[in-house]
Amino acid sequence: MKNTAYRILTFFRITGLLLFLVATSFFSYAQVTPADDEIDMLLDELFFNEDQMIDDILASLNRYDFIYTSITFNSNSYFSGRDSGIDQFNFYPQASYYHSSGFNFSISGLYYETFDPNWDFTSLSLGYNQYLGKKKLLYLSTGYTRYFYSDGSDIFTNAVDLGLGIQNKKRTIGSTLSATYLFGTDNALQLISSTYGKINLAKKKTFSIKFKPRINFLIAQQTMALEELNSQTQEAEYINYDVFDLLNVQLNLPITFVSKSFNLDVGYTINFPNAVATETDLKSNGFFTINMGYMLSLKK
């Protein structure tokens, strides 16, 4: 039973992190002595939209390569929107490199307050983003991620993903659909559908403030170990259920502040987990997120 519970917890860690990354990834890119409003647009368009605008902005500003570093803090930890019964914060640092060709590379890690070991894993990612068509309203993203777990887990050590997105001309609203295949000694599939918007709250010469709500739908294939009471022995035991269903609906409510090469983002996320198999009494929950990021130019 312990092995089964650990197996599911490991999966929840991965699906939870992937949803974190969709919702809270921050990137930037290099500039040739750009004006403050260019940097503002650069950072502004990427907040909560990891694979949304990268190639388009690089092309319009004629930039080449860049490094963006960030650290994200979440006030509590939920896995596929589910409460593990342990209140704990988590944070993850990330460093990303992007090239105007569309290729990118990232290294990141995840730390939990109470897990042992606290540093859950380190991940290395290689990706590619490309717009489709002359109007650049459609875009494609793909990538591969390798996970290195501190406790030696090898259940889900690899992930490949493919995403397709669409946006309006003003970049004020858009949607993405991404598929991720996780594999190692076991395998699983997850789908994430996201719709996002952007509302200007304030814009000055030296800074901007915007509100960027996003709603995510997480559909995943997985084996869930659910604790049930044995009617004969009256003892609790874990029963495995194979499911492919909607696991969670997540609403992100972030506000971003951008000034020169620095950005500070504060948001609140609400989970609405959907009960599957024999699950019952899944309640909505939420947590606060704070992100700080800095842009580093590599070419001038």
Side-chain angles (χ1 to χ4, degrees), residues 174-194:
S175 294
T176 64
L177 177 63
S178 62
T180 300
Y181 178 67
L182 299 158
F183 61 98
T185 57
D186 203 347
N187 60 79
L189 175 69
Q190 78 168 22
L191 303 175
I192 295 178
S193 174
S194 298

Side-chain angles (χ1 to χ4, degrees), residues 163-183:
L164 182 66
I166 186 171
Q167 61 187 343
N168 64 351
K169 292 182 179 180
K170 294 184 179 180
R171 300 173 181 164
T172 56
I173 191 171
S175 294
T176 64
L177 177 63
S178 62
T180 300
Y181 178 67
L182 299 158
F183 61 98

